[in-house]
Amino acid sequence: MSDSILPGRRTFLKSVGVSSLAVAAAPAWVQAAQAVRVDDSEQPLKPGEQRINLKVNGQTHTVNVPANAVLLDVLRDRLQLTGTKKGCDHGQCGACTLHVNGVAVNSCLSLAVSHDGDEITTIEGLEKDGTLHPVQEAFWEHDAYQCGYCTSGQIMSAVAIINDPAIGTDDASVREAMSGNICRCGAYKNILSAVQSAREKMKGAS
Amino acid sequence: MNDIIGAAPKRVDGRLKVTGKAQYAADHGLDRMAFAYGVYSTIANGRVTRIDVDEARRMPGVLDIFHHGHFADLYRPPSMQMNPAQIERLVKVDETRLPFEDDRVYYAGQFVAIVVADSFEQARAAAYKVKVDYKEEPAVATLGQAKKAQSPQSSGSDYSRGNAATAFDSATKKIDATYTTPVETHNPMEMHATTAYWEGDRLFVYEATQSVVVHRNTLARIFGLSPDKVELRAPFIGSGFGGKLWAWPHSAATCAAARAVKRPVQFVLPRPQMFTTVGHRPETEQRMRLATDSKGKLVSVRHESINGTSFTDPYSETCGSVTKSLYSCPNLAVTHSTLQVHHGTPTSMRAPGAAPGLFALESAMDEMAEAIGMDPLAFRKLNASTRDEGKDLPWSSNHLQEAFDKGAAKFGWDKRTPAPGSMREGHEIIGYGVAACNWDALRCSSDARVSLRADGTAFVTCGAQDIGTGTYTIVAQTVSKISGLPLEKITVQLGDSSFPPGPVSGGSWATASILPAVAEATRDAIEQLKGFAVENGPFKGADAKALQFAEGRLVNGNDTLDFGHFLREQRLGSAEGEAHTGVADGDVSIRSFGVHFVEVRWDPGISRLRVARVVSAIDAGQVINEKAALNQVEGAIVMAIGMAMFEATHYDERNGRPTNNDYAEYMVPVHADQPPEMDIMLLDYPDYALNEFGARGIGEIGTTGLAAAIANAVHHATGKRIRDLPITLDKLMEDAPRVTA
């Protein structure tokens, strides 16, 4: 692993900015982590490793991964894309939901080696040029979270559900479709409001 | 003055949460960081006789494997009494035994080894190759098994007034019923995690903790360090519900491992270990005896509670704490005792004591009302206390009667027909249930620092943390209230033990504790600013006392001065304010009150039970942020629906191993379980006995009482009185009439 892609050991001091909550500016080193591009093509493969290309949020990475590495861990540990969360590692909670080629999947249940060449969108990829996705905006507006840990997965599922014509638009259908994403804080009422309000805004925009 | 207190601004940290940039304990990737993975006991009682790490040690990337034969010499943290007036000095764990102290095993899932390797995958693969032999001894798997083998040990918190036994015996109207609640597991979405590294003798830790200060103090004791040498960070926590209040064994184990391998180490506990080694709400058995006179006034209340605890620590679930004062009764007795089971040590889980306690009390109140043929709401209204008879003090502020009335009106309680099964719609039977909710309001010591900066902004630090309740936002609102600055000019930093010590985020204490400190520090900074202004600049020579501060400007009569501009002119970086605030005093009893009304729908044809509607009226003092406060109560109700209908950690009766320790088998409410209608009224009466804002905290109250309201509604629908949580369908199907075509 190239050390240069990771925040240095002084991160502890630098990362003060992470908890700095001025609405105006995102903390500096988080942005740096986003911009990281991993290129392992010059690194020799270790026994059991395979080299894969992942196109994540528009950025192509070449990563040497062991066969037993799951997509979630590669995104978090290698690409520093920690917005996607680990809540159970068993596909039971939905916190790790992201989009592979436009389809919502539990990234903890998916081996990284099976995603060579895939286009992956994580929560970090929804915001475009500093403008939040309507679903992100609606989650903020409707207080559709408490601790925020399941939020990335909820938002990625919500985007997929709104875009899926097979899923009904009524409240009961949305509740059913979102039931793979547990929110232990219980912000379900506000999440439903956020999803339905974002749906209206997205309709208006298209 | 502005009206920011009680308003509903969206959260100041919201953008970070919806973009995935909020960083939790395991989101901090550090240079050369290694990963830990645990090996957990597969027996619940016995000894480790042999650990064979040879094969695991040879696996790729493995740095070291720690176990009781190979681990740092650490110190046990002292067992301290909780003193809210000095929360900054608190050291506390619930499981006092350190990881790898010896070869003893007290519960399944106890650490027997941890593997540290270059990558997560390598650590996990190697952990699977560690071979452990045990000498297994019989395990006490449940409270029921413990009851057969042991005598209950008193927890030393018994209480009585009058003579409850005599009054009960001589009464003619009475009930005697026993209620049981299972082990419940917090299961926060963020699994417990530690990222630790050392620089010389200084320890740095990112931890999923509800108190950076107490956790810092605790790790310092464990490693024999001055607290100045330990720094804890928790800018974001994926909630905790009490499970992250105090340090658990993985935290010290990770720090020790990081010191040994001389690299940063990250350890995320797997979901199955959320059920074993990080606490839980213990199993309880509560016998309730209630008696009334002929008019329906309570004449005797007896609440005897037993809970399971571990073989290492005596944790008491104080189920009778609420019973002492919610209702008026001259003869009352409460006892708490424990029995030992081979589980990990229990801990506080959202509304500890009150959640299971009010299930028993408010179910018993319903049974008593039924026994005397009284409407259950009227029975509660008749018996609600007018002062705290447990403490013999007046209430600071109690609007329970108003909550009953407003809730009943909104819910339509008057449409309830008393006979079970008497309300139907189509193939569904409707049940209406009611229960009071109750939680104590407490405030602990807190410090805070506020800088009014030369760039015209305010900067706030406090060693509290935001576990998802909205603490960042209400701190910003408080500074805005005092200074007049808009929220976007206020930066709040929390979750760092090097900041002025703040409250724990638990027990509904945080809001009531942190707001006075932040307000005081803001005023202190303004005073310093005024002092600067009368020494130099356009207001030189003015009387500092005559100066005002409003909307970010110093005001002297008709003249105003932008404070940022003034500081820059004086070449000053900031005006600084600090504060230390303590606990509430005064001879009053301060609690929050409320009521839940629940409609359930039971479809006997397909054995389907749903919570269709919840209406709650909550008297929790002044609301600071309406969005966040409603969210807290709504979320508490969702969690309590889990308690009422789904949640139970099961243990194999033969060997004490948990059998459903994952998110698929331990059922929690999901989106589809959300009641279609949920209507929360916040009565919003400021309680100035607690603090200058009149806020009491709102995290726990919604959790209490709801399980009883559901059980009471279920009884109204089905005629079945379920005294054993959760109310699963099998309990309703028992003896169910055969469905005929």
Side-chain angles (χ1 to χ4, degrees), chain B residues 44 49 78 109 132 240 260 262 292 320 339 352 354 397 415 429 460 503 542 554 594 662 667 686:
Chain B
T49 53
V132 185
K262 299 185 168 57
T292 66
L339 291 165
S397 170
K415 294 184 189 70
I429 307 175
V460 193
L554 282 158
D662 61 53
M667 309 288 272

Side-chain angles (χ1 to χ4, degrees), chain B residues 285-301:
Chain B
E285 181 184 293
Q286 303 171 62
R287 184 179 179 189
M288 304 295 306
R289 277 172 282 189
L290 269 56
T292 66
D293 63 18
S294 58
K295 297 194 176 79
K297 286 285 285 180
L298 287 165
V299 294
S300 176
V301 173

Side-chain angles (χ1 to χ4, degrees), chain B residues 717-728:
Chain B
T718 66
K720 290 190 168 70
R721 184 65 72 175
I722 308 300
R723 302 188 183 93
D724 176 48
L725 291 184
I727 306 169
T728 46

Side-chain angles (χ1 to χ4, degrees), chain B residues 128-188:
Chain B
Y128 292 160
K129 296 292 185 186
V130 173
K131 297 181 191 72
V132 185
D133 293 336
Y134 302 94
K135 183 178 184 302
E136 186 171 5
E137 292 160 34
V140 182
T142 62
L143 196 62
Q145 288 184 356
K147 264 182 88 175
K148 287 178 192 148
Q150 307 159 19
S151 314
Q153 298 296 304
S154 171
S155 302
S157 56
D158 292 356
Y159 166 86
S160 71
R161 61 177 180 259
N163 192 326
T166 308
F168 183 82
D169 291 342
S170 59
T172 52
K173 306 283 190 186
K174 52 188 159 186
I175 62 138
D176 180 347
T178 297
Y179 304 85
T180 52
T181 65
V183 168
E184 286 176 70
T185 301
H186 307 77
N187 267 321

Side-chain angles (χ1 to χ4, degrees), chain B residues 702-714:
Chain B
T703 313
T704 69
L706 192 83
I710 291 175
N712 297 339
V714 166

Side-chain angles (χ1 to χ4, degrees), chain A residues 12 15 21 76 85 87 92 127 136 140-141 143 145-148 154 175 178-179 184-185 188-189, chain B residues 11 15 17-18 24 26-27 185-186 197 206 233 271 472 627 631-632 635 647 663 669 671-672 678:
Chain A
F12 206 100
S15 70
L21 293 167
R76 289 178 52 81
K85 303 301 183 199
Q92 297 167 343
E127 187 179 351
Q136 292 176 305
W140 193 4
E141 190 61 47
D143 212 42
Y145 45 53
Q146 284 180 24
C147 75
Q154 301 279 359
R175 282 203 187 94
M178 290 291 291
S179 283
R184 186 58 164 153
C185 298
Y188 296 130
K189 183 181 172 183
Chain B
R11 297 193 191 198
R15 177 176 269 273
K17 285 183 175 176
V18 300
Y24 302 79
D27 293 342
T185 301
H186 307 77
Y197 73 97
Y206 288 105
R233 288 256 173 101
R271 178 59 62 183
Y472 278 117
K627 267 196 171 99
N631 204 338
Q632 279 302 300
E647 295 184 34
Y663 245 150
H671 282 274
M678 193 187 253

